[in-house]
Amino acid sequence: MTPSKKWYKFIIPIVLVCFGCTTENFEENVGSQSLTKQENFTTSRAGLKSIGSGVMMQAFYWDVPAGGTWWDTVEGKVQDWSNAGIDAIWLPPASKAQNGAFSMGYDPFDYYDFGQYNQMGSVETRFGSLTELQNLISSAHNAQLNVIADIVINHNSGGDSEVNPVNGQSNWTDFNPMSGKFFRSYNDFHPNGIHNNDTGVFGGFPDLCHHQTYVQDWLWKKTESVAKYYRDSIGFDGWRFDYVKGFEPWVVKDWKNEVGGFSVGEYWDGNASTLDWWTGQAEASAFDFACYYAMDAAFDGNDLNRLNDDMLWKRNSMRAVTFVTNHDTDEIYNGKMLAYAYILTHEGYPTIFYRDYEEWLNKERLNNLIWIHNNLAGGSTNILYTDNNEYIARRNGYNNAGLIVYINNADYWQERWIETNWSNTQIKDYTGHSNWEPTTQGGKWVKIQVPPKSYSVWAPK
């Protein structure tokens, strides 16, 4: 969730504060391509694909159909996604929120109600019942897919009004969930006896205080904490932390160190240096918003030189989760397939957006790029050429031959001589966009081509 959410009407300004962090004592969450697939990511549940061996699917979009059918819809797709090369699915916030059957989950009320209690105006959530969620997760696991939970712990919504003695004001901070777990009062939010605020407040909602031991216990430390309940009772395998600008990075680090699992934060910032700082402090991955903004400028703004911009994957590919669009942005813009060709041939852990895959773009073309990512896109990256309309890069290979990707934003065919890693080797375009099958020279040079407004990906035949 971000300040761009469609149902939020206002935002309180964010004040950033840098706090100290704890020492590192748990497994790395790493990005993708400089190591082997197996070494890059880990999964704590036997029988599942290693996270990072393939591609993540964001298995929802903003305002998916209400009526409690979404878990069933996704369950019907998990095997096909796995067959295509997906290794994890990211679900929307699964527990009961203030808006009940109409909520997308980003206004959480009862972290332990997955559609089994009659509160907030409904029994089921917008997405379905507890049983349907469990069936979905079971089917995903049977398809060897990890399931990533969307965790919203910056703020809560739906509490009753009570007076906060710290400031003498009435606030909606009295939470009495029907699950009987994690009751909350004014002392668990800001302001309280510890401090008035942390790094940010979202939308005027009650802002959880993660410095309170009671809050830490219920969120990740206790045997029945939210984190352990999600992992052990519901079956989630990893975490996507919402709006991490709203609390200090040590919260994500402590959560991950307590319960394990792949972790990625939504730190909405286009500055690669800032993203790199956050991933180091949290010891977790982050969505590469720097890459997102550079691609938007490159493909929608018709200047592929912008792909030379600083990005998180260039600073630390082992922490970068790349994406073309998500539930907050979910726009169709020019060159979206070119953007997918970019993230699916470059370093980082790429994410596919549900509507792009299932509704808006060519699924066969996306499946081809997923295959290329999983089988050819290894090793470090060298950018070979850029101008307004052309971009060529080489992946140098790791336990595979690597590849050359050629992206063309012009309205006509283009061709160029480039230096490969292969001498006297016949190569081909694995996208099928070109029928050339040239042989590289002894000095590794070869001429390749690319169609208008398209891309080609070259590797040994």
Side-chain angles (χ1 to χ4, degrees):
M1 183 182 56
T2 70
S4 67
K5 277 294 181 218
K6 300 176 179 65
W7 54 280
Y8 290 124
K9 304 301 183 184
F10 62 95
I11 249 329
I12 293 177
I14 298 168
V15 179
L16 292 178
V17 181
C18 184
F19 290 83
C21 60
T22 58
T23 58
E24 178 177 3
N25 61 1
F26 200 73
E27 65 186 11
E28 291 272 348
N29 285 316
V30 292
S32 58
Q33 311 304 338
S34 60
L35 303 175
T36 66
K37 301 285 187 182
Q38 292 75 21
E39 290 171 327
N40 287 332
F41 287 91
T42 59
T43 180
S44 58
R45 206 175 298 271
L48 305 186
K49 299 179 182 181
S50 296
I51 295 182
S53 63
V55 175
M56 185 193 301
M57 175 68 72
Q58 181 177 355
F60 67 100
Y61 54 92
W62 193 252
D63 283 346
V64 300
T69 62
W70 191 249
W71 297 147
D72 292 338
T73 296
V74 174
E75 183 184 6
K77 298 180 182 296
V78 292
Q79 187 60 61
D80 287 343
W81 290 348
S82 180
N83 294 344
I86 302 299
D87 63 27
I89 59 172
W90 158 25
L91 299 184
S95 61
K96 187 68 62 64
Q98 179 182 9
N99 287 316
F102 302 101
S103 176
M104 283 297 296
Y106 291 96
D107 51 340
F109 172 75
D110 187 344
Y111 288 103
Y112 297 85
D113 179 2
F114 296 90
Q116 70 268 39
Y117 297 105
N118 188 359
Q119 56 184 339
M120 298 294 120
S122 70
V123 175
E124 290 193 349
T125 67
R126 183 188 191 100
F127 314 113
S129 67
L130 169 62
T131 298
E132 289 163 344
L133 173 61
Q134 291 173 323
N135 289 342
L136 161 58
I137 293 176
S138 178
S139 294
H141 286 166
N142 288 338
Q144 300 182 291
L145 295 179
N146 298 270
V147 184
I148 307 300
D150 202 320
I151 299 297
V152 185
I153 57 173
N154 174 72
H155 54 271
N156 291 164
S157 188
D160 295 323
S161 179
E162 62 178 352
V163 175
N164 185 337
V166 174
N167 59 11
Q169 298 178 3
S170 294
N171 298 301
W172 304 96
T173 52
D174 184 16
F175 286 79
N176 299 282
M178 289 186 67
S179 66
K181 295 181 173 65
F182 197 14
F183 294 98
R184 283 144 280 164
S185 68
Y186 67 87
N187 204 42
D188 305 312
F189 299 90
H190 295 115
N192 57 34
I194 296 179
H195 51 190
N196 288 331
N197 60 274
D198 55 9
T199 63
V201 177
F202 191 90
F205 293 122
D207 188 56
L208 273 172
C209 177
H210 301 93
H211 287 268
Q212 287 287 24
T213 301
Y214 176 84
V215 173
Q216 294 177 20
D217 286 344
W218 272 107
L219 284 180
W220 67 85
K221 289 183 176 180
K222 288 166 58 76
T223 301
E224 286 191 305
S225 67
V226 172
K228 293 173 184 175
Y229 193 86
Y230 271 53
R231 180 192 65 186
D232 301 333
S233 297
I234 306 300
F236 284 106
D237 307 291
W239 323 102
R240 179 267 183 187
F241 289 92
D242 179 68
Y243 188 60
V244 297
K245 278 189 173 183
F247 47 90
E248 300 87 16
W250 65 262
V251 174
V252 171
K253 179 179 177 180
D254 279 13
W255 177 300
K256 179 180 70 72
N257 288 350
E258 182 72 30
V259 299
F262 173 76
S263 300
V264 57
E266 181 213 32
Y267 197 100
W268 193 306
D269 197 300
N271 187 306
S273 177
T274 302
L275 295 171
D276 194 25
W277 165 82
W278 185 88
T279 63
Q281 295 293 302
E283 297 177 9
S285 297
F287 287 101
D288 195 346
F289 280 93
C291 177
Y292 165 78
Y293 284 117
M295 290 191 300
D296 181 56
F299 299 119
D300 212 23
N302 299 311
D303 183 7
L304 299 196
N305 288 306
R306 293 297 303 274
L307 298 178
N308 288 315
D309 288 0
D310 196 8
M311 305 177 194
L312 178 59
W313 76 257
K314 296 179 182 181
R315 288 174 172 259
N316 190 347
S317 66
M318 296 189 299
R319 297 293 195 193
V321 178
T322 53
F323 68 101
V324 172
T325 193
N326 61 28
H327 60 294
D328 284 319
T329 62
D330 66 4
E331 75 276 14
I332 301 177
Y333 58 80
N334 294 329
K336 187 177 271 192
M337 277 302 301
L338 304 188
Y340 275 112
Y342 181 81
I343 69 167
L344 288 163
T345 56
H346 283 65
E347 294 170 77
Y349 180 32
T351 304
I352 303 276
F353 182 55
Y354 180 94
R355 299 194 82 173
D356 285 341
Y357 188 83
E358 293 291 343
E359 299 177 19
W360 290 340
L361 301 179
N362 186 313
K363 185 183 293 189
E364 181 181 356
R365 293 285 95 202
L366 286 172
N367 283 342
N368 170 251
L369 285 171
I370 294 170
W371 184 92
I372 286 170
H373 171 269
N374 294 353
N375 292 277
L376 301 176
S380 59
T381 303
N382 291 108
I383 298 175
L384 303 181
Y385 181 82
T386 63
D387 63 23
N388 284 358
N389 291 319
E390 290 179 84
Y391 174 87
I392 307 174
R394 181 178 68 225
R395 296 296 303 279
N396 293 307
Y398 192 95
N399 287 348
N400 56 33
L403 57 80
I404 303 288
V405 57
Y406 192 173
I407 299 174
N408 178 19
N409 205 34
D411 294 322
Y412 44 84
W413 281 80
Q414 302 215 66
E415 56 187 49
R416 190 166 292 278
W417 283 91
I418 51 94
E419 185 179 15
T420 74
N421 284 325
W422 319 298
S423 295
N424 303 312
T425 302
Q426 188 175 28
I427 64 173
K428 73 171 188 176
D429 173 18
Y430 277 82
T431 71
H433 292 157
S434 169
N435 60 8
W436 281 12
E437 294 188 357
T439 298
T440 63
Q441 297 178 343
K444 302 181 180 180
W445 286 80
V446 71
K447 182 189 284 188
I448 57 175
Q449 65 173 187
V450 62
K453 296 292 185 182
S454 190
Y455 55 90
S456 53
V457 180
W458 304 81
K461 184 177 178 181

